[in-house]
Amino acid sequence: MTAEPTPQNAPPAPPRPPRHGPAHGPAYGPAYGPGHGPAYGPAHEAALREAEDAEFRRRPLGRRLFAPLATLAGVAAAFAYVGAVDPNEPGHYPVCPLLRFTGLYCPGCGGLRSAHAVAHGDLAGALGANALAVAGYAVCAVLMAVWLVHAVRSTPTRLAARPAVWWALGALTALFAVIRNLPFGSFLAP
């Protein structure tokens, strides 16, 4: 025979689900005001960044250098391949679809020929093939150098561009594409 459950020997009651709705207050989260869940905001983000920075500083040098050196090796391998396999000879690389179907140069047209010229030390030929790509190579080289220096110095690298910068880069790229397809901008065409 089993004993009747009494308050002393009864199993604990399962937790009750939270009540929601206007009569019971908000469910949870920062959207409902202070005191309701974790506080996400600039101070929280700064604390997270500081924790990530401290963790980055504790890493050994080899681990800090792995990502920038692997990226640099990948870029060097790509430039070596383009330097060895000439894009000026047809059949090695696919044709730009925009150029093939419309006859218009996209902002990237001539980029492989430009990379080939850079790999062979021909800066004038690279600028003639795609000046915007050469500017991009230079910016990437500077960013790689900054990344490597920061990794050696145990300083995390954070690149956060404002939306205005991205809009300006997009407008510059679009302007470059338009000008290189007009008669007076033929000097920018590959």
Side-chain angles (χ1 to χ4, degrees):
M1 184 165 165
T2 60
E4 287 288 317
T6 62
Q8 290 83 16
N9 67 359
R16 295 171 62 183
R19 295 181 179 178
H20 304 287
H24 302 287
Y28 57 88
Y32 298 106
H36 296 283
Y40 295 108
H44 179 72
E45 291 175 12
L48 284 176
R49 267 195 307 273
E50 185 57 39
E52 290 171 359
D53 293 354
E55 192 277 327
F56 181 81
R57 286 186 207 101
R58 284 191 296 269
R59 292 180 189 166
L61 179 63
R63 189 164 168 220
R64 289 192 315 262
L65 286 175
F66 178 76
L69 289 178
T71 303
L72 187 60
V75 170
F79 267 89
Y81 180 81
V82 173
V85 181
D86 192 358
N88 294 307
E89 297 176 15
H92 292 293
Y93 300 98
V95 177
C96 172
L98 184 68
L99 181 61
R100 173 180 246 164
F101 295 119
T102 67
L104 297 173
Y105 296 114
C106 78
C109 280
L112 286 174
R113 287 179 287 236
S114 176
H116 180 78
V118 166
H120 288 275
D122 180 13
L123 186 59
L127 288 169
N130 191 323
L132 188 62
V134 173
Y137 305 150
V139 168
C140 286
V142 168
L143 291 176
M144 282 300 308
V146 167
W147 193 10
L148 283 166
V149 168
H150 280 221
V152 169
R153 292 183 176 176
S154 297
T155 308
T157 304
R158 283 202 173 76
L159 298 175
R162 298 182 186 275
V165 172
W166 294 112
W167 281 104
L169 287 174
L172 176 69
T173 303
L175 186 64
F176 177 75
V178 168
I179 291 174
R180 75 190 317 208
N181 285 293
L182 296 174
F184 68 87
S186 61
F187 67 96
L188 292 174

